[in-house]
Amino acid sequence: MMRDERLWMALGWIVLALAPWWLPWLGGYSALGTKVLVYGLGVMALNLLLGFAGGLSFGHAAYFGLGAYGAGMTLKYLAPSTPLALLAGTVVGGLAATAFGPLVMRRRGIYFAMITIAIGQLLYFVAVRWNEFTGGEDGLAGFSRQPLHFGGWVLDIRDENKYYYVVLVCFTVAAWIMRGVLRSPLGHTWVAIRENRRRAEFLGVRADLYIWAAFAISGTFMALAGALNALLFNFTSPQDLHWILSGDFVIMIVLGGMRNFWGPLLGALIYIVAQDYLSSVTDNWMTFIGLLFMVIVLAFPRGILGLLRRRGKAAA
Amino acid sequence: MTQLLLFNAFNGLIQGAFYALMALGLALILSLNSVINMAHGGFLVIGAYLAYVFAPYVGFAGAIVLGPLGAAAIGMVVERVLIRPLYKRPDPLYTLLLTFGLALVIQDLTRTIWGPTGLPFEVPQILASPVSTVFFFITGYRLLVVALVAVAVIGLFLLLRRTPLGIRIRAGTLDLETVSALGVNIYMLRALNFALGCLLAGLAGVLAAGVLGLTPPMGNSLIMPSFVAIIVGGVGSLVGAILGGLLIGLAAGITTTFYPAASEAVIYLIMLIVLVVRPRGLLGHEGLFE
């Protein structure tokens, strides 16, 4: 089982590393591949909270957007440095998630979802109305990612293929850390709280503090994804904080399979390719996306990986 | 200055009345159906556009009645076809996502059928003119809005207190299993309750159309404050939903006078303050929906 999984991971990584070669051949482009990785990283981070700790956050776009604005504003107002921008975006989003965590950490289910939505909207309106600093409704433009300097050697990541590899490295490191967290006592405690919060509390676990940790960690990696996204398009707008994007994140997770570490990445891949394709062929793509939501919820609530796993068990 | 303040406060109260109507419907559906209805703004839009379609045939008064009834009928079908299969899954995640998808579909279809630009909703001339020259902002229509919201709220409370249906709805909120064991058809009960919630959303839509005009995304700007109204008032309390709606509407209106850019953010700031001071909202009970 273990060796099997390693083999799959190695295969998957080779496929990802070669993406700039095979993507154009399938009719894609490397920015699309980068977007899948960025969103994949974001939804895998959200899934730490949603799928493993059982906290239904419907407002995680807020931290994605904060990461994006943090990175964009650093480049625009502070210093032309890509690593600094990524760091600033991640820290800003992570701190915000840490600050808002205590408001939701004792809530569950419906209450948790509604409060996270509303917090997201607060940040959305700050971005829309704080015109002179955020660019308001038109979004924040006028910044661009800068070449990376390693001593004397310069990597010009303004090239889309090279930026893809920067994102792939960030994705790999972040996924490795998140996987480590899930395998640590912290991750196992999250699952215990998800399965039976009251029992965990009787055993002496401070469930609220663990949920706070999940909220903060997942918000931090979500902010990293947001920062990478802002640098991908050299642009960000209040839509990156909107609750519609939060909904997109959650459906990607459910589509891929929320009980599986890699499920959200698969969900992001399918959802983003579908959205990209639909919006190029029909004006009514929103209707099709909405119908996709309903079909997933009614027919595939366990997601694709959940479905495959059940088939596998039935066969074995 | 005083007049400007009064003007904005009155506007805020009207806006708050819409929030309260929306929040009441959301709270009803939340407590008996255990559904966070993200499509509630969609039902508001359906009510408003149906009234726009009916108005030339049945007149203004008829449209105000038929629009919400149409929204309720569509709501009942939606509950039967899409939401009923999900009751057996206790996780609120699934109904949340389903109604979210539904909201996208409703908004897109409205845009396709009636176009992306706003349509005017004609209000009879006699209602559109101001009642007095000093208080130019008090038109007959706005007074009608206040009166109709009051009638709807009183009617809802009479329904919940005095009729068998209302008593069953309240009992079902506390313990649906026992209500079912006593021989009540809880499938029908939940369907009627969902339709009742959509009726209130439709009414909010018709009334809002007369003030704000009709646009496909008009529900989006009203649904989020309605969630906040519920959180501020306390999840599970209908009186709290009304109180919360009026409170945040008034606060937004007053803020407009002094610092217009913060008029939306203030709604969410009130929510944060309430959550810190009274984590379960103004009138919420411990342990409900957690």
Side-chain angles (χ1 to χ4, degrees):
Chain A
M1 189 66 202
M2 199 66 198
R3 258 178 74 188
D4 225 35
E5 203 183 340
R6 280 208 186 144
L7 191 71
W8 278 111
M9 270 171 67
L11 261 177
W13 207 80
I14 291 170
V15 170
L16 285 179
L18 296 176
W21 279 276
W22 56 260
L23 253 177
W25 191 66
L26 284 178
Y29 44 98
S30 47
L32 186 68
T34 316
K35 194 175 169 191
V36 168
L37 275 188
V38 165
Y39 277 71
L41 167 61
V43 289
M44 279 163 72
L46 172 56
N47 200 36
L48 293 182
L49 178 63
L50 182 70
F52 290 94
L56 176 48
S57 170
F58 220 75
H60 249 53
Y63 311 107
F64 186 83
L66 277 179
Y69 274 98
M73 286 177 172
T74 304
L75 278 177
K76 189 169 179 175
Y77 300 117
L78 283 180
S81 157
T82 300
L84 187 69
L86 289 178
L87 184 70
T90 310
V91 168
V92 167
L95 283 181
T98 312
F100 287 122
L103 288 177
V104 291
M105 66 187 184
R106 290 193 190 86
R107 306 279 165 269
R108 265 176 277 175
I110 287 174
Y111 227 138
F112 193 99
M114 286 184 25
I115 294 174
T116 48
I117 295 175
I119 291 174
Q121 279 308 96
L122 168 67
L123 297 168
Y124 169 79
F125 280 115
V126 171
V128 169
R129 293 291 172 219
W130 199 10
N131 269 338
E132 59 267 37
F133 209 47
T134 62
E137 208 124 18
D138 299 331
L140 185 72
F143 63 89
S144 61
R145 54 180 190 264
Q146 301 295 319
L148 290 175
H149 297 268
F150 300 94
W153 184 58
V154 178
L155 181 65
D156 190 0
I157 57 167
R158 282 173 294 186
D159 174 66
E160 283 198 347
N161 281 339
K162 289 186 181 129
Y163 187 62
Y164 174 84
Y165 286 106
V166 172
V167 172
L168 184 61
V169 168
C170 291
F171 173 85
T172 310
V173 171
W176 183 70
I177 296 174
M178 288 195 279
R179 202 170 169 74
V181 169
L182 282 178
R183 286 182 174 169
S184 73
L186 178 63
H188 287 284
T189 313
W190 285 343
V191 175
I193 292 170
R194 178 192 82 199
E195 289 299 319
N196 194 334
R197 183 162 178 148
R198 187 167 291 176
R199 180 183 284 185
E201 281 170 348
F202 279 147
L203 289 171
V205 173
R206 285 285 306 271
D208 50 350
L209 297 184
Y210 278 89
I211 296 296
W212 187 9
F215 201 83
I217 293 173
S218 119
T220 306
F221 283 108
M222 183 59 104
L224 172 62
L228 288 169
N229 194 56
L231 296 192
L232 169 62
F233 297 106
N234 292 323
F235 175 72
T236 183
S237 78
Q239 296 311 313
D240 284 340
L241 293 146
H242 199 260
W243 54 273
I244 296 215
L245 184 62
S246 297
D248 290 344
F249 286 146
V250 177
I251 201 71
M252 286 178 210
I253 290 176
V254 173
L255 173 60
M258 60 192 284
R259 294 288 183 259
N260 189 296
F261 182 68
W262 298 106
L265 178 64
L266 182 66
L269 170 71
I270 296 170
Y271 188 85
I272 285 167
V273 171
Q275 198 178 34
D276 190 69
Y277 174 73
L278 284 172
S279 57
S280 70
V281 292
T282 164
D283 276 344
N284 288 97
W285 61 274
M286 241 170 93
T287 299
F288 287 97
I289 292 287
L291 290 175
L292 182 70
F293 269 62
M294 295 189 214
V295 170
I296 293 167
V297 168
L298 290 170
F300 310 105
R302 286 162 189 279
I304 292 168
L305 283 184
L307 208 68
L308 288 178
R309 182 154 290 187
R310 210 162 35 156
R311 284 270 164 77
K313 267 184 195 156
Chain B
M1 188 65 202
T2 323
Q3 203 189 16
L4 187 66
L5 186 64
L6 273 178
F7 167 68
N8 281 320
F10 187 72
N11 266 349
L13 271 181
I14 296 274
Q15 197 75 14
F18 297 144
Y19 297 156
L21 269 189
M22 287 281 282
L24 268 180
L26 274 171
L28 274 176
I29 294 172
L30 194 61
S31 45
L32 186 64
N33 301 64
S34 304
V35 171
I36 303 181
N37 187 14
M38 298 297 282
H40 214 61
F43 288 107
L44 175 142
V45 171
I46 289 176
Y49 275 89
L50 283 181
Y52 172 80
V53 171
F54 290 141
Y57 306 105
V58 295
F60 178 73
I64 285 191
V65 176
L66 281 185
L69 282 177
I74 292 174
M76 206 149 169
V77 174
V78 163
E79 196 273 350
R80 177 69 191 83
V81 177
L82 295 173
I83 294 178
R84 192 178 290 184
L86 298 177
Y87 286 137
K88 58 180 183 290
R89 296 190 213 147
D91 196 335
L93 168 71
Y94 296 105
T95 47
L96 182 57
L97 286 173
L98 183 103
T99 50
F100 184 91
L102 186 64
L104 295 182
V105 172
I106 292 175
Q107 190 184 331
D108 199 45
L109 289 183
T110 329
R111 191 177 55 91
T112 310
I113 299 172
W114 286 285
T117 48
L119 297 170
F121 184 65
E122 295 294 336
V123 174
Q125 195 54 45
I126 185 161
L127 288 175
S129 45
V131 175
S132 93
T133 45
V134 183
F135 300 104
F136 61 94
F137 46 86
I138 303 183
T139 60
Y141 183 73
R142 286 169 178 231
L143 291 177
L144 180 74
V145 168
V146 174
L148 281 181
V149 171
V151 167
V153 168
I154 293 169
L156 179 69
F157 277 84
L158 285 179
L159 176 83
L160 289 177
R161 295 275 158 193
R162 300 270 179 245
T163 65
L165 173 68
I167 289 165
R168 283 169 187 170
I169 287 178
R170 285 195 295 137
T173 307
L174 294 175
D175 188 345
L176 198 59
E177 210 169 318
T178 308
V179 172
S180 167
L182 289 171
V184 174
N185 181 350
I186 59 165
Y187 287 98
M188 186 47 102
L189 190 66
R190 283 186 291 206
L192 286 174
N193 184 65
F194 196 88
L196 188 60
C198 295
L199 183 83
L200 292 171
L203 181 63
V206 179
L207 297 178
V211 181
L212 311 166
L214 291 153
T215 54
M218 66 188 279
N220 283 352
S221 56
L222 285 168
I223 186 167
M224 282 300 146
S226 311
F227 277 128
V228 175
I230 293 179
I231 298 172
V232 167
V235 176
S237 162
L238 293 183
V239 181
I242 299 169
L243 204 65
L246 293 178
L247 180 71
I248 58 173
L250 188 62
I254 291 174
T255 311
T256 309
T257 321
F258 301 104
Y259 188 42
S263 63
E264 289 114 342
V266 75
I267 291 175
Y268 300 94
L269 280 178
I270 289 180
M271 179 195 73
L272 290 185
I273 294 168
V274 168
L275 280 177
V276 171
V277 181
R278 279 187 69 92
R280 285 181 179 79
L282 298 175
L283 301 175
H285 304 286
E286 181 143 354
L288 221 57
F289 302 107
E290 290 180 54

